[in-house]
Amino acid sequence: MTETTVVVADDQPILRDALVDFIGLFDEFRLTGAVSSGGELLELIRGAAPDVAIVDIRMPGGGAGLLRAIRELAPATRILVLSAAGEREIVMEMMASGANGYLIKGELPVKVVEGLRAVVDGQRPVSDELVDDEVRALLDRLPD
């Protein structure tokens, strides 16, 4: 079985370390780095080209510009946003800027792993509480 390479980018050390530790329990994933800013993430992606980046959009250097930069730098890298920001406008902006999935912080760790698997499989996981008709319509229009 091929391992999926994963990087984690979050400026909250406790959450970042917990994600790294939890994801490390699954043989199908190989962590290739953990960083605390958008700039560090771009450097890591430039060197490692991971299969998936788990990204907090509210860290230093985060946001839509970071997602677009990842898309340009490593088009094959899947982006799973993990953020406390749950406003529909933000979710839609991030999905339109290149996110493959969007989960709210506070999801059970197993949901994050399910989200990782889903983006690897080409799906667009979104936390249930974020999905309304407008978000669903945007997801249906986004290219694979």
Side-chain angles (χ1 to χ4, degrees):
M1 173 169 59
T2 304
E3 292 177 318
T4 298
T5 56
V6 179
V7 296
V8 175
D10 195 301
D11 62 336
Q12 296 177 358
I14 293 172
L15 178 62
R16 185 179 60 243
D17 294 346
L19 276 171
V20 166
D21 290 345
F22 189 74
I23 292 166
L25 297 174
F26 297 84
D27 292 339
E28 68 201 88
F29 302 114
R30 181 170 51 88
L31 271 295
T32 58
V35 297
S36 61
S37 73
E40 292 172 319
L41 177 60
L42 292 176
E43 287 301 314
L44 186 59
I45 287 174
R46 187 173 285 113
D51 297 314
V52 181
I54 300 176
V55 181
D56 175 17
I57 57 168
R58 289 196 170 161
M59 67 181 167
L66 174 61
L67 301 190
R68 288 189 296 272
I70 294 169
R71 274 289 148 255
E72 187 174 310
L73 183 62
T77 296
R78 301 287 187 168
I79 303 168
L80 178 60
V81 171
L82 183 62
S83 178
E87 299 84 5
R88 180 177 358 119
E89 296 77 23
I90 293 173
V91 174
M92 292 181 67
E93 179 185 15
M94 295 309 121
M95 297 301 286
S97 296
N100 298 96
Y102 197 110
L103 301 177
I104 292 293
K105 286 183 179 179
E107 288 279 11
L108 294 173
V110 71
K111 290 288 190 184
V112 176
V113 170
E114 289 172 3
L116 277 171
R117 290 177 180 141
V119 296
V120 168
D121 289 341
Q123 300 169 31
R124 295 194 178 274
V126 177
S127 291
D128 291 339
E129 69 234 42
L130 301 177
V131 180
D132 61 16
D133 291 340
E134 195 171 352
V135 170
R136 189 171 284 109
L138 172 67
L139 295 174
D140 289 344
R141 290 191 312 267
L142 291 174
D144 293 333

